[in-house]
Amino acid sequence: MTAEGVPHEVELKYRVADVAAVAAFLDGPWTSALVDVTVAEAPMRIVEDRYFDTARGALRRRGFGARLRRTGERVTLTVKSLAPDEVAGDIPADALHRRIELEAAANARLEPGGWPSSPARELVDELRSGARLMGQFTIRQRRTMRAIEGEDGAAQLSLDEVEVVVGRTVVGTFAELEIESTEGGAGLLRRLARVLEASGLVSPATGSKERHARTLVDQERAAARVRRLPKVPRS
């Protein structure tokens, strides 16, 4: 929590080029130099995130992104602020990201009136101003997770293999390593960042998964428009 009482997400985000190499690194004694830090493997999860907005992008224009996350039978609504770089297109200085994050129980329908009352639902209603919500794309993730604890905090690490889906079509894939503070502090994350970056296996993510997925969706739509252009007959 911040002093104003608004929940924030504090996490490290890295792009991963070689998932097998990073997985092997994480299976080894990678935190051995941090004598107070312990790592415990958590279950692998399949996560499906459905991102949505209004037809005119009301949420995004007001600085927020929103999704419905399905994990097993559970559906969670998440609303996050977009960092300045998400709006302006700039690259963040490092891998540490801080964003407003509201979460609440929901269901799979894009009808806020059917979701349980919560600050997250109220924010969606305020942002959309009565406009209908529409699904934009889905991110499917295979998450290999680990719980991390140290003297200066606790965190959840996830190595994510991601598919970006529009309708029934996979328009792109990528992999990412995230370490999210479970207590809101950055001390432990900074120490873990030095170890991870020294490995040479990861690079700071230049934005959120949503931003990267949106780029892949836009590229596919542009390519589809080119494919639909009439072919000029050869003379």
Side-chain angles (χ1 to χ4, degrees), residues 217-229:
V217 171
D218 290 345
Q219 290 173 347
E220 172 58 26
R221 287 174 175 163
R225 286 194 292 270
V226 171
R227 291 194 294 268
R228 289 195 296 268
L229 292 174

Side-chain angles (χ1 to χ4, degrees), residues 10-15 25-26 30-31 33-34 37 93-97 148 152 155 157 177-181 185-205:
V10 181
E11 66 179 353
L12 296 170
K13 296 174 68 66
Y14 294 101
R15 290 284 180 254
F25 175 75
L26 295 174
W30 66 282
T31 60
L34 307 176
V37 173
D94 62 15
L96 188 68
H97 297 243
I148 303 176
D152 49 354
L157 179 151
L177 175 67
E178 296 182 350
I179 307 181
E180 181 175 355
S181 171
L188 176 61
L189 299 192
R190 286 295 189 190
R191 292 200 290 147
L192 296 171
R194 287 193 286 271
V195 176
L196 288 167
E197 291 169 19
S199 74
L201 296 172
V202 297
S203 57

